[in-house]
Amino acid sequence: MGRENNFLLGNGTRLTEKVKINGGGGSKTPPYDFITARSQMTEWIKEATNHFSLLPAPACPFDQVTAVLTIHPRYISKSDYPKELINEIGLKAVGGRSRKIKPKSWGVEKHPEEALTDEIFVMGTRDNLNNLYRLLPSWTEEHAGSSQLTQIELFNAYLPAEKLKSLPEHNDEILMEVVLHGCSDKDIIGIFEDYVLKYVGKPILERLTYVKDLAFIPVYTSLRHTQALANFSYLRVARPMPKIRTTSPELEHSNSFSVTIPEIKVIEPSFKAAIFDGGIPKDSPIMNWVNLIEPEDIASPLPEHQEHGLSVTSAFLFGPINEKELLTPLCEVDHIRVLDENTGLSELECYDVLERITKVLDEKIQKEEPYQYVNISVGPDIPIDDNEITLWTAKLDKRFSKGKTLSTIAAGNNGKYDSMSGLNRIQPPSDAVNVLTVGACDSESEIFWQRAEYSSIGPGRCPGIIKPDGVIFGGSDQFPFMVVAPTKEISTIGKQGTSLAAPYALRTAVAVNAQLGSDFNLLTTRALMIHRAEQDNNSKIEVGWGRFESDYSRLITCDDDEVLVVYKGELPVKEHLRAQIPLPDGELFGDIYITATLVISPEVEPDFPNLYTRGGLEVVFRPDIGVYKTYKDGKESTTPSSKSFFNPSNIYGKSEYELRDEDYKWEPCIKATRKIASTALNNPCFDIYYHNRITGETDKSPKPIDYALVVSVKAPEMRDFYARVIRAYQNILVPVQPKIKIQIKPNK
């Protein structure tokens, strides 16, 4: 049987069932005894109140100030969240961040010298903190919240210097993007306006934007007034307003050639993709496939922006053009022009462009007709910040959190910048967790390829640390990405950039759904693309999960010694979902390689970057369903024995990333491979548990969440492995037959 007939297997959900599994764990020995913890907290509060007493009253509306509560690294799980302590001392959590610390004590013998932990931004009145300083020495171990004192590593004031990022070196007027936290009380905005006008400069309140309890406000000020700005107690961060990145590294290539238009207009007329970019010249020959949408309030286009938009759209419609006959486009495109003649000149261009994107997305969502496929190859020209979420990421992640849209985002082209300062890291909104972030590789060769040197690198923030999700050909000096040229006659021009890689990856995703139809949802397509990505010898920091497969047939077929099964549905609440891994009847031979990819699309918490995802995953692998652990007291476990599979070292490697113990549980996308002796397998399965939280605490009213699981099992010593699995599960698993066959190369 040839590979072209070995289609992936659907209906994996038939191999799942809900199971109840008792949780383990027990009490921990705290790092500090109560007396020590009480003494430490008293001293910390004294130092913090001394700082707060120096702040001018106008900078502290309602006498509120912001402090930072640092959690000991052993107590960062949602079950350890110090809610009782925070409530008892009269504070309110308004955000969070991560920080590496060296605790004075660990409470256990084996521990690292330092570790990442959570810091919680809390707000309360100066008067209340002064009272707490007087009353805390009288607390006993019976006092409410006292037990959680032993879990705290530090309490300190949120200092103004920490709030100011990337300040310029001149005193000229600058436009800052100011983020306020704790803004559930909208009166704060009016108080902030008065404060800025009196002490700082001028706020532009007509461009005020809320994301949950965060308020994003542009403010004109000068360097000498930034200290006064940072004194404002509700201020989370202030940074120079970023500019828009619009163009990829351009490459004019002399090897251009003319091409002919395909006879068929599109392969799947029922699909439509949206590309948000710089527009397309109205006399361009590709307008046959494009509906150009011009927002009402947008200014005139610029030719260089239109050329960028044309290149991006060409990459989606045709992929890299290698032949003189264009590939047939998969579907039509709505190209929404979001760049205009003011882009590159207006200080508020980042807000303008984002507003145009979200307005169109919201109109489609309100009509219950969200775009299924979206590409965005523009965004702020800044690297991501681990402890702050940009407005772009927050707004787009929210709109893509339901898994109803497959969005590809260009990772950015700052890969050549300084690595020590992090200037070469991915750019917003490619740090969003509910998108497919695409970097570029330099070649389409099966063997010789690597990250294109301009392509931005990871890691992403945590959660969402594997970024980019993957790479695909984006062009290089040696091998340009050929796109349609900005001429009236169809000819080509060579370019390069992640701006081209992202829509090329989206074309691949659309091809999968066009072939498989309703058998595949968009979350499953995203999981399949990540699953089939090959890392080879490249670092995850550079290429994420690997190079995306651009051969559509290889994405949906298997070798004779392999099966690939797709599971999709909902993860239950407070129960495990057991997913059986299919194996053939009879004897197995040699080593078995199991690869699994699991993806969810969770709600997000922009004000808590360290606790960004509200949904998480914990998966236990049980290779032999008939083997149970026997404890020292002779009792037998009630659940089959487990082996490591989705653990930090298997997923991320041992040296590339530094993670907290709990971090991997909150990653919305996990993938790992494990080699297992065939003799060790007996009805193997994954037990999947869906974790949920809100601002670090357990969500008391969680809802089931959609998931997509892709599992491939490869048995190199069993050349008939696929056929044997088909026979064993002939009434359960069904090969997903493609509705159509899509050619990768045009007919010659």
Side-chain angles (χ1 to χ4, degrees):
M1 182 184 292
R3 177 179 178 129
E4 65 273 11
N5 297 313
N6 296 345
F7 296 109
L8 60 82
L9 305 181
N11 293 340
T13 310
R14 294 178 179 176
L15 298 180
T16 65
E17 61 176 337
K18 298 176 184 179
V19 294
K20 282 279 189 182
I21 297 176
N22 295 326
S27 60
K28 302 176 183 177
T29 302
Y32 308 105
D33 60 62
F34 173 72
I35 300 299
T36 301
R38 185 182 63 183
S39 175
Q40 289 181 152
M41 180 63 85
T42 303
E43 187 61 30
W44 294 331
I45 291 176
K46 178 183 178 181
E47 293 177 6
T49 54
N50 286 341
H51 167 78
F52 293 141
S53 67
L54 301 176
L55 294 176
C60 305
F62 311 116
D63 199 39
Q64 293 280 326
V65 291
T66 298
V68 183
L69 191 67
T70 304
I71 309 301
H72 193 280
R74 291 178 53 225
Y75 290 88
I76 59 174
S77 68
K78 62 179 181 179
S79 60
D80 291 321
Y81 186 80
K83 181 179 181 180
E84 188 178 21
L85 175 63
I86 291 173
N87 291 341
E88 183 62 23
I89 60 181
L91 300 176
K92 177 185 177 182
V94 294
R97 65 184 181 187
S98 295
R99 186 165 73 91
K100 183 187 292 186
I101 64 171
K102 293 182 179 182
K104 294 186 293 293
S105 176
W106 282 86
V108 292
E109 290 186 7
K110 294 183 178 181
H111 59 79
E113 182 180 355
E114 57 184 11
L116 286 168
T117 192
D118 284 329
E119 292 188 324
I120 305 172
F121 293 112
V122 290
M123 296 196 74
T125 66
R126 290 186 285 193
D127 186 58
N128 182 67
L129 287 172
N130 286 326
N131 288 335
L132 179 62
Y133 172 65
R134 291 192 297 268
L135 295 174
L136 190 57
S138 65
W139 278 27
T140 67
E141 294 185 65
E142 285 70 41
H143 198 99
S146 62
S147 64
Q148 293 177 335
L149 276 178
T150 63
Q151 305 169 17
I152 306 304
E153 187 61 32
L154 184 63
F155 181 91
N156 62 289
Y158 186 29
L159 300 177
E162 298 179 73
K163 305 176 182 181
L164 301 172
K165 302 289 183 74
S166 305
L167 290 179
E169 297 180 356
H170 53 74
N171 288 323
D172 296 334
E173 187 179 68
I174 53 176
L175 180 63
M176 303 288 287
E177 180 180 45
V178 170
V179 184
L180 305 182
H181 57 211
C183 290
S184 55
D185 184 347
K186 300 303 186 282
D187 290 340
I188 295 300
I189 302 303
I191 296 172
F192 178 69
E193 177 185 21
D194 293 340
Y195 179 82
V196 170
L197 289 172
K198 187 172 183 179
Y199 300 103
V200 175
K202 179 185 177 183
I204 309 177
L205 286 187
E206 59 268 26
R207 304 310 296 269
L208 163 68
T209 302
Y210 286 104
V211 180
K212 290 198 66 180
D213 290 342
L214 295 179
F216 293 76
I217 309 171
V219 173
Y220 281 109
T221 186
S222 63
L223 192 61
R224 67 181 183 276
H225 290 135
T226 53
Q227 175 68 36
L229 177 63
N231 280 340
F232 195 77
S233 61
Y234 282 80
L235 192 139
R236 169 74 67 84
V237 66
R239 56 201 170 208
M241 184 67 69
K243 305 295 287 184
I244 284 286
R245 66 179 193 270
T246 56
T247 58
S248 18
E250 297 293 336
L251 172 68
E252 302 294 336
H253 201 269
S254 60
N255 214 8
S256 62
F257 49 86
S258 60
V259 291
T260 58
I261 296 175
E263 296 181 3
I264 302 173
K265 187 175 182 182
V266 294
I267 291 174
E268 183 48 81
S270 66
F271 288 3
K272 180 170 282 188
I275 291 176
F276 295 90
D277 214 278
I280 297 175
K282 292 184 178 179
D283 59 355
S284 170
I286 77 164
M287 290 302 293
N288 187 42
W289 300 281
V290 178
N291 173 34
L292 179 60
I293 297 176
E294 303 256 336
E296 293 180 0
D297 61 342
I298 199 167
S300 300
L302 280 181
E304 55 262 41
H305 295 159
Q306 291 178 311
E307 185 172 347
H308 186 264
L310 174 63
S311 298
V312 170
T313 307
S314 171
F316 173 74
L317 290 173
F318 314 115
I321 301 171
N322 300 317
E323 306 287 343
K324 293 190 176 182
E325 180 185 346
L326 294 175
L327 290 172
T328 302
L330 297 169
C331 66
E332 293 185 347
V333 174
D334 279 354
H335 185 114
I336 301 95
R337 183 167 71 85
V338 295
L339 309 179
D340 62 18
E341 61 185 358
N342 297 319
T343 307
L345 301 175
S346 169
E347 291 180 297
L348 290 168
E349 61 188 25
C350 258
Y351 280 43
D352 293 335
V353 175
L354 178 61
E355 190 173 298
R356 292 171 190 141
I357 294 172
T358 55
K359 184 177 180 180
V360 172
L361 292 175
D362 288 345
E363 287 174 353
K364 300 293 287 186
I365 291 171
Q366 289 169 5
K367 294 178 182 178
E368 297 185 351
E369 300 173 351
Y371 281 116
Q372 288 184 292
Y373 308 99
V374 167
N375 181 80
I376 299 174
S377 291
V378 298
D381 192 14
I382 53 173
I384 65 166
D385 183 335
D386 287 322
N387 286 320
E388 300 296 339
I389 304 294
T390 65
L391 186 60
W392 276 69
T393 299
K395 284 204 156 194
L396 293 174
D397 240 343
K398 176 184 176 182
R399 286 159 174 81
F400 297 144
S401 65
K402 302 297 183 182
K404 305 300 182 185
T405 299
L406 199 162
S407 177
T408 48
I409 307 290
N413 299 319
N414 53 331
K416 291 183 181 181
Y417 291 3
D418 181 59
S419 60
M420 294 297 292
S421 57
L423 295 177
N424 61 345
R425 288 179 68 185
I426 60 170
Q427 299 183 309
S430 64
D431 55 332
V433 297
N434 292 314
V435 305
L436 197 68
T437 300
V438 184
C441 64
D442 62 354
S443 168
E444 289 193 279
S445 167
E446 288 291 322
I447 302 173
F448 302 107
W449 67 272
Q450 60 185 355
R451 175 184 66 90
E453 60 179 359
Y454 56 79
S455 184
S456 303
I457 71 168
R461 283 176 296 96
C462 201
I465 198 166
I466 303 296
K467 290 288 181 177
D469 290 282
V471 299
I472 199 169
F473 180 60
S476 62
D477 290 342
Q478 185 177 4
F479 303 107
F481 191 118
M482 305 303 290
V483 295
V484 172
T487 58
K488 292 183 180 180
E489 300 295 329
I490 287 196
S491 61
T492 62
I493 188 172
K495 297 195 175 184
Q496 57 182 309
T498 60
S499 292
L500 307 179
Y504 183 27
L506 187 63
R507 175 183 172 85
T508 302
V510 175
V512 170
N513 285 94
Q515 290 179 100
L516 303 183
S518 59
D519 289 306
F520 256 51
N521 60 28
L522 298 174
L523 197 61
T524 308
T525 302
R526 185 172 144 207
L528 180 64
M529 290 187 66
I530 291 170
H531 187 83
R532 284 303 201 190
E534 292 292 340
Q535 186 182 350
D536 293 343
N537 295 319
N538 296 281
S539 162
K540 280 191 174 75
I541 287 177
E542 296 207 349
V543 303
W545 297 114
R547 184 171 69 165
F548 293 127
E549 178 60 73
S550 59
D551 184 335
Y552 319 136
S553 64
R554 294 188 67 82
L555 276 165
I556 65 171
T557 58
C558 313
D559 289 324
D560 289 338
D561 62 354
E562 174 194 33
V563 291
L564 188 147
V565 186
V566 173
Y567 310 70
K568 58 185 174 70
E570 283 187 339
L571 293 178
V573 174
K574 297 181 180 179
E575 288 183 294
H576 285 72
L577 184 74
R578 177 162 290 174
Q580 180 187 348
I581 301 170
L583 293 176
D585 295 330
E587 188 176 1
L588 300 178
F589 302 97
D591 290 328
I592 306 294
Y593 295 82
I594 299 176
T595 301
T597 304
L598 180 58
V599 178
I600 58 174
S601 188
E603 298 283 350
V604 295
E605 299 277 3
D607 36 358
F608 287 80
N610 56 319
L611 308 171
Y612 187 56
T613 52
R614 288 178 57 175
L617 301 164
E618 187 170 5
V619 187
V620 175
F621 173 57
R622 307 192 191 280
D624 189 332
I625 205 71
V627 173
Y628 291 77
K629 181 179 179 179
T630 301
Y631 299 108
K632 292 181 180 179
D633 60 4
K635 293 183 179 180
E636 190 176 78
S637 171
T638 58
T639 55
S641 297
S642 64
K643 296 289 184 182
S644 65
F645 197 98
F646 286 113
N647 58 38
S649 61
N650 279 357
I651 298 174
Y652 312 118
K654 294 182 179 179
S655 60
E656 288 194 293
Y657 301 105
E658 185 169 19
L659 297 177
R660 304 172 305 177
D661 291 341
E662 288 275 318
D663 277 343
Y664 75 98
K665 293 182 181 180
W666 298 99
E667 290 288 316
C669 172
I670 54 177
K671 174 185 174 182
T673 299
R674 183 172 172 83
K675 181 177 75 171
I676 306 162
S678 57
T679 53
L681 294 173
N682 173 35
N683 292 322
C685 66
F686 291 115
D687 284 342
I688 306 168
Y689 190 79
Y690 159 47
H691 287 279
N692 46 80
R693 63 185 177 186
I694 295 180
T695 62
E697 302 177 56
T698 300
D699 187 350
K700 292 183 173 58
S701 302
K703 297 178 181 178
I705 192 169
D706 289 344
Y707 78 95
L709 171 66
V710 180
V711 177
S712 56
V713 186
K714 191 172 183 66
E717 295 185 28
M718 301 175 64
R719 299 306 302 171
D720 61 345
F721 189 78
Y722 180 86
R724 287 179 58 184
V725 171
I726 289 291
R727 288 196 299 270
Y729 291 87
Q730 57 184 330
N731 296 320
I732 301 173
L733 300 177
V734 178
V736 181
Q737 299 282 348
K739 297 190 305 177
I740 55 175
K741 186 174 182 180
I742 299 175
Q743 291 180 307
I744 299 174
K745 302 289 184 183
N747 290 321
K748 294 184 178 181

